[in-house]
Amino acid sequence: MGRGVLVEKGQKRKRWAGLATAVVVLTVAGLVWFRPWALRVDETVHEALPAASAPAATPTANPGPSASAAAPVTVAQGTFISHEHTTTGTAKVVRLTDGAHTLLLEGLDTSNGPDLHVLLSDAPVREGTAGWRVFDDGRYVDLVRLKGDKGDQNYLPPADADWSKDPGASIWCDRFDVSFEAAALARA
């Protein structure tokens, strides 16, 4: 009778050790996957508009009115609305002096998170939970990973991207397929 009790206690210890190991492994895996500390770590970026690659200047006595035409122009803009995370700021499509475009996120203030990307999408920008998961449903251009969750930053679309066909900008969490926030880009 004494031996049976010892075997039973040994099996219980093995089960508890196995259960404790499983809990530790699942906890570590969950922390790696969700990265909850990223919500507490801010990355602030302050970028000026990119300088256009200017052609070699030819000397002129009077630059005339064309000098003012060389300034960057906002061609579309929208205010971010919050989806999964509270957000403020604006998204602007700016035509640079060389004719190229950049997506300027201005005054961005959002939560940091795992695997955040900047998307241009043909999906309509909707408020509330109706807008959380639509930006990867249709056509979209993934510009690049978000540089920071605060500040002003520029994203150059690929040469073949047409921002007018993708009038929604979203900060997209690729890990969880959800929009943190989005802005409808209306022509200025």
Side-chain angles (χ1 to χ4, degrees):
M1 184 154 134
R3 180 157 164 72
V5 171
L6 286 177
V7 170
E8 194 174 292
K9 284 184 179 179
Q11 288 175 345
K12 282 184 180 180
R13 284 186 188 149
K14 285 182 182 179
R15 282 188 222 147
W16 279 109
L19 180 62
T21 301
V23 167
V24 168
V25 168
L26 289 174
T27 300
V28 170
L31 287 172
V32 169
W33 180 256
F34 286 101
R35 293 181 47 208
W37 58 87
L39 294 172
R40 300 264 186 236
V41 178
D42 291 328
E43 294 180 43
T44 302
V45 176
H46 293 292
E47 292 181 328
L49 282 174
S53 52
T58 54
T60 59
N62 181 3
S66 65
S68 64
V73 176
T74 299
V75 294
Q77 67 182 8
T79 302
F80 279 113
I81 60 168
S82 301
H83 282 153
E84 178 70 24
H85 292 266
T86 303
T87 301
T88 58
T90 59
K92 296 180 178 180
V93 176
V94 178
R95 184 175 55 242
L96 303 172
T97 57
D98 65 357
H101 289 89
T102 186
L103 178 67
L104 168 63
L105 305 185
E106 194 171 55
L108 180 66
D109 188 357
T110 189
S111 299
N112 207 340
D115 207 13
L116 296 180
H117 289 249
V118 179
L119 300 184
L120 290 176
S121 173
D122 66 349
V125 175
R126 297 183 184 131
E127 292 193 34
T129 57
W132 284 17
R133 301 194 183 274
V134 299
F135 293 96
D136 67 343
D137 290 346
R139 183 181 62 246
Y140 66 94
V141 177
D142 186 342
L143 298 180
V144 72
R145 280 183 175 257
L146 184 69
K147 297 173 186 175
D149 60 319
K150 306 224 180 298
D152 305 329
Q153 44 205 283
N154 294 283
Y155 296 91
L156 298 172
D160 60 344
D162 183 356
W163 68 267
S164 63
K165 292 182 181 175
D166 300 313
S170 173
I171 307 303
W172 183 257
C173 180
D174 211 29
R175 169 95 29 99
F176 297 106
D177 290 329
V178 67
S179 173
F180 271 33
E181 58 271 339
L185 300 171
R187 290 191 181 271

